[in-house]
Amino acid sequence: DAGVIQSPRHEVTEMGQEVTLRCKPISGHNSLFWYRQTMMRGLELLIYFNNNVPIDDSGMPEDRFSAKMPNASFSTLKIQPSEPRDSAVYFCASTYRQGLVATFGSGTRLTVV
Amino acid sequence: GIQVEQSPPDLILQEGANSTLRCNFSDSVNNLQWFHQNPWGQLINLFYIPSGTKQNGRLSATTVATERYSLLYISSSQTTDSGVYFCAVERASGSRLTFGEGTQLTVNP
């Protein structure tokens, strides 16, 4: 298996633009997580899905952020409109089920200028 | 919200040494995890351990939920163990996963 695949690896965008980050979990994994890491706030869990259903989105910072999982093999995290303070590394992770350790993707480094 | 404190903040070891990292938390938890982030930024979820003891190779973790702490043991450390170790907890009464600030580990050859 290729592991958790995130795209793009790097994204530079201008303030106000829409940004879409993508994640392909490991096949057969039923739980998917989106994390954000910044120098100021450290690591944060934004949202997680079980069987494609969002379970806890309490970590999503604002309404500008939205996440979807239309099927078991694909998830997106969208920021619209983007702001400079959204600059961060965004990680996606997946696992067979909650309670087991998750496998992380390599992350997407987002820079909003 | 729940407070998560990790110690020590920094640790420097010689290859082959053993170490213990600590995570204290301020409330009852139903979820506690340990993560390792290597110097290149890659994250690895090491343990899911809200209570009890688990071992994976040279690493083991113990959580004493009643006393609100968890320990991560690294034995016979290797240079590849370098990086930041994070503890994260979720309060039993319900809250989002909260991360500690991490322990920066450097293992020198």
Side-chain angles (χ1 to χ4, degrees):
Chain A
D1 200 314
V4 177
I5 300 173
Q6 291 187 246
S7 63
R9 289 295 307 274
H10 303 273
E11 175 84 25
V12 180
T13 190
E14 291 186 347
M15 183 174 62
Q17 297 298 305
E18 177 179 296
V19 176
T20 299
L21 311 181
R22 296 173 175 80
C23 176
K24 176 178 170 54
I26 292 174
S27 177
H29 282 190
N30 296 316
S31 294
L32 182 140
F33 307 83
W34 282 100
Y35 294 84
R36 178 173 71 173
Q37 186 174 31
T38 63
M39 289 295 292
M40 290 294 293
R41 300 177 65 88
L43 267 167
E44 303 171 278
L45 175 62
L46 301 178
I47 185 171
Y48 72 89
F49 295 83
N50 276 350
N51 296 315
N52 312 336
V53 176
I55 302 301
D56 183 359
D57 64 355
S58 61
M60 296 285 266
E62 301 173 32
D63 291 344
R64 297 184 296 106
F65 287 70
S66 62
K68 294 182 179 180
M69 193 163 185
N71 57 61
S73 59
F74 185 64
S75 177
T76 59
L77 178 66
K78 185 177 294 187
I79 308 172
Q80 166 63 19
S82 58
E83 297 183 3
R85 59 197 170 112
D86 302 331
S87 298
V89 181
Y90 291 82
F91 291 99
C92 175
S94 71
T95 184
Y96 282 110
R97 59 172 175 81
Q98 276 200 289
L100 299 178
V101 293
T103 301
F104 279 79
S106 297
T108 294
R109 181 174 295 277
L110 173 66
T111 303
V112 183
V113 298
Chain B
I2 192 168
Q3 304 300 311
V4 183
E5 294 183 0
Q6 292 188 242
S7 60
D10 298 278
L11 184 59
I12 300 174
L13 302 173
Q14 287 299 122
E15 203 167 23
N18 302 327
S19 63
T20 301
L21 282 56
R22 187 177 181 103
C23 173
N24 291 335
F25 42 95
S26 60
D27 205 344
S28 300
V29 299
N30 60 4
N31 179 357
L32 187 145
Q33 300 183 49
W34 283 97
F35 300 80
H36 174 222
Q37 187 166 37
N38 69 20
W40 297 270
Q42 181 65 35
L43 274 166
I44 298 173
N45 191 185
L46 298 173
F47 293 103
Y48 178 92
I49 186 166
S51 64
T53 298
K54 290 185 178 179
Q55 182 157 6
N56 185 359
R58 296 181 296 103
L59 273 60
S60 64
T62 295
T63 297
V64 184
T66 53
E67 298 188 20
R68 299 181 183 172
Y69 72 88
S70 183
L71 303 175
L72 178 69
Y73 305 96
I74 304 174
S75 64
S76 304
S77 58
Q78 300 177 358
T79 56
T80 52
D81 296 330
S82 295
V84 183
Y85 290 80
F86 295 100
C87 167
V89 303
E90 184 175 356
R91 199 165 54 192
S93 59
S95 70
R96 66 189 192 198
L97 195 66
T98 301
F99 284 81
E101 296 191 351
T103 292
Q104 174 78 54
L105 175 65
T106 302
V107 181
N108 293 320

